[in-house]
Amino acid sequence: MVYVTGDIHGNQEKWIHYIDPILKEQDILLVTGDFGMGFWYGPEYNEEQFLDWLQTRCYTVCFIDGNHENFNLLNTYPVKKWNGGNVHFIRKNVIHLLRGEVFTIENHTYFVFGGGYSIDKKYRLQDISWWIQEMPVQKEYENAKNNLIRYKYNIDYILTHTAPNQTIYYLKIKNKIKDAGLNELELNLFLDSIYQRSYYSHWYFGHFHMDQNLWRNQTVIFNSIRNIYTNEIITQWDFCDG
């Protein structure tokens, strides 16, 4: 099966107790950003030990980057090809899907675009707990456009970390969320332009720490795992990780 979940933030307890028990041999789990590269520390494992443990599992983890990743660390991994798009292999079964790429998984196409703005940046330190690469650059936007043109904007599933601007406006009315405002606007408007041109089955994103089906076949995901094909919730938990 192919499943999707939301922000992990490097929380080993969340992974070990809520995510790992659900996944079986040959399953694929897609993470919609804030996987937590550079933050996987816990009482039992340091980050390298935890990633080594993930490598022993029988499933595959594919994640897009959010705004809470160590991008300097991510970019030390060589760029390789996997299922039609560019990736970083963190481990043989732990794969970072690069921004703007299109992948084919089980005969379905997936467009991915990570990144977002840290609204808690004033409490963080540059190159220690936040990185300027959290927001996309023009080269990444152009790569996304070119790949979508190749597919004539016909994509089965779209995975992003943040949301289109119109969806953020919808969330502000419906849930009174805090958003990054002008700081993230370029990215949000870019995702709007993708929505306006694309034909897709479903769009999943994280970032906002909630689980809801919204509009336009869009779902914000956090403390749940969903079957990506049916959008059915496989499991859901009440776990606060900030």
Side-chain angles (χ1 to χ4, degrees), residues 1 14 59 126 129 137 147 172 222 232 242:
M1 292 300 301
K14 185 174 183 177
Y59 50 77
Q126 186 170 347
S129 53
V137 295
N147 283 327
K172 287 168 74 173
F222 181 42
E232 174 192 4

Side-chain angles (χ1 to χ4, degrees), residues 33-93:
D34 282 358
F35 179 65
M37 280 297 294
F39 299 95
W40 283 99
Y41 298 99
E44 298 183 43
Y45 304 111
N46 63 34
E47 177 153 296
E48 288 300 306
Q49 289 170 334
F50 184 78
L51 292 171
D52 288 343
W53 175 80
L54 274 182
Q55 186 168 236
T56 70
R57 314 314 289 160
C58 58
Y59 50 77
T60 297
V61 180
C62 300
F63 69 94
I64 64 174
D65 51 84
N67 49 294
H68 292 155
E69 320 281 1
N70 183 334
F71 288 95
N72 292 345
L73 175 61
L74 272 178
N75 291 329
T76 64
Y77 291 90
V79 175
K80 297 186 177 181
K81 283 286 185 181
W82 179 80
N83 286 21
N86 290 323
V87 302
H88 293 134
F89 279 97
I90 310 304
R91 294 294 187 272
K92 65 180 182 181
N93 62 332

